[in-house]
Amino acid sequence: QEQRAGQRGQTSRRACGVESSKMVKHNNVVPNQHFHKDWQNRVKVTLDQPARKLRRRLARKAKAEAIAPRPVAGPLRPVVRCPTQRYNKKVRAGRGFTLDELKEAGISAKLARTIGIAVDTRRKNKSVESLQANVQRLKEYQSRLIVFPRKAGKIKKGDSSVEETSAATQLKGAVLPIEQPKPVIERMDITDDVKSKSAVTQWKLAKHAQYLEGKKQCKKDEDEEN
């Protein structure tokens, strides 16, 4: 009877199309490899890079000719600080000048857009230093600016002279390049008095004094309220 039962089990497994010798043992992944992905038809090659390089160069040349005599790099951008504590020591070009910066430089927002100055109505000045730096940048740009008349031969107020416009050339590089500020390192002589004192101890004493000063100020405010 046991032999007949074993034979019935083998026939039932064969009928289901499962052979016990091909199944994996234990809790492993069932073999399910895919060998018909046809990857040869989806291979991406970059053999057209020399042609793309030429196409990009011709596009830059055509753009420069289209916007001439305006600068190739585009409008003037402000100097702003990079966000977060990690990068705020560096400066970069911003989106546009604020309305306060334009007002301080004596330029209207409507006029600024017509003479190659980017305007950003959303940015706000958080410090006087940044405001003054960008105002100085605008004044320097105005001193170098050459404004062409709308119609040749009809010079209006604010336009440059014929001699300046005839001698003007298109600027190829960046408009007033931004330079990173260099840190100023102050040096001092190490004396015996400096060696005798501990910098860590002085820092801890100053921190403790600041803490006590805050506690005294809080207590004083509470007494005044009561």
Side-chain angles (χ1 to χ4, degrees), residues 88 205 225:
N88 61 7
L205 289 173
E225 291 179 357

Side-chain angles (χ1 to χ4, degrees), residues 103-139:
K103 184 179 180 181
E104 195 73 19
I107 306 172
S108 65
K110 186 177 181 181
L111 176 64
R113 292 186 174 95
T114 61
I115 59 176
I117 299 175
V119 181
D120 186 6
T121 58
R122 296 178 296 179
R123 186 169 66 88
K124 305 296 180 183
N125 291 104
K126 297 294 183 68
S127 64
V128 181
E129 290 80 5
S130 67
L131 176 66
Q132 293 177 350
N134 284 321
V135 169
Q136 186 64 29
R137 186 174 173 83
L138 286 170
K139 290 182 179 179

Side-chain angles (χ1 to χ4, degrees), residues 183-203:
V184 179
I185 301 175
E186 297 181 0
R187 301 182 182 274
M188 59 179 292
D189 296 331
I190 300 175
T191 60
D192 295 334
D193 186 27
V194 175
K195 291 180 180 180
S196 62
K197 296 179 181 179
S198 175
V200 177
T201 304
Q202 292 180 355
W203 172 71

Side-chain angles (χ1 to χ4, degrees), residues 65-220:
E65 293 175 354
I67 66 175
R70 292 187 289 269
V72 177
L76 178 69
R77 304 286 179 179
V79 179
V80 297
R81 288 278 173 184
C82 298
T84 69
Q85 292 182 352
R86 183 174 183 178
Y87 301 106
N88 61 7
K89 294 181 181 179
K90 297 182 179 181
V91 293
R92 63 173 177 83
R95 182 181 180 88
F97 291 89
T98 62
L99 300 179
D100 293 336
E101 293 168 351
L102 295 171
K103 184 179 180 181
E104 195 73 19
I107 306 172
S108 65
K110 186 177 181 181
L111 176 64
R113 292 186 174 95
T114 61
I115 59 176
I117 299 175
V119 181
D120 186 6
T121 58
R122 296 178 296 179
R123 186 169 66 88
K124 305 296 180 183
N125 291 104
K126 297 294 183 68
S127 64
V128 181
E129 290 80 5
S130 67
L131 176 66
Q132 293 177 350
N134 284 321
V135 169
Q136 186 64 29
R137 186 174 173 83
L138 286 170
K139 290 182 179 179
E140 185 180 356
Y141 177 77
Q142 278 185 300
S143 64
R144 302 183 183 183
L145 182 64
I146 298 176
V147 181
F148 284 74
R150 289 183 178 272
K151 294 183 179 180
K154 294 184 178 180
I155 300 175
K156 295 184 178 181
K157 183 181 178 181
D159 297 341
S160 300
S161 61
V162 180
E163 293 79 10
E164 291 178 342
T165 55
S166 59
T169 57
Q170 188 179 26
L171 182 64
K172 301 295 183 181
V175 182
L176 297 180
I178 297 174
E179 297 180 358
Q180 295 295 334
K182 296 181 180 179
V184 179
I185 301 175
E186 297 181 0
R187 301 182 182 274
M188 59 179 292
D189 296 331
I190 300 175
T191 60
D192 295 334
D193 186 27
V194 175
K195 291 180 180 180
S196 62
K197 296 179 181 179
S198 175
V200 177
T201 304
Q202 292 180 355
W203 172 71
K204 288 186 177 181
L205 289 173
K207 188 176 181 181
H208 186 63
Q210 184 182 10
Y211 172 75
L212 292 178
E213 187 66 26
K215 298 284 283 186
K216 291 178 182 179
Q217 187 65 31
C218 290
K219 188 176 181 181
K220 184 179 180 181

Side-chain angles (χ1 to χ4, degrees), residues 44-56:
K44 185 176 181 181
V45 295
T46 55
L47 302 177
D48 59 343
Q49 284 303 310
R52 282 177 176 271
K53 183 179 180 180
L54 176 63
R55 189 166 62 192
R56 287 193 299 266

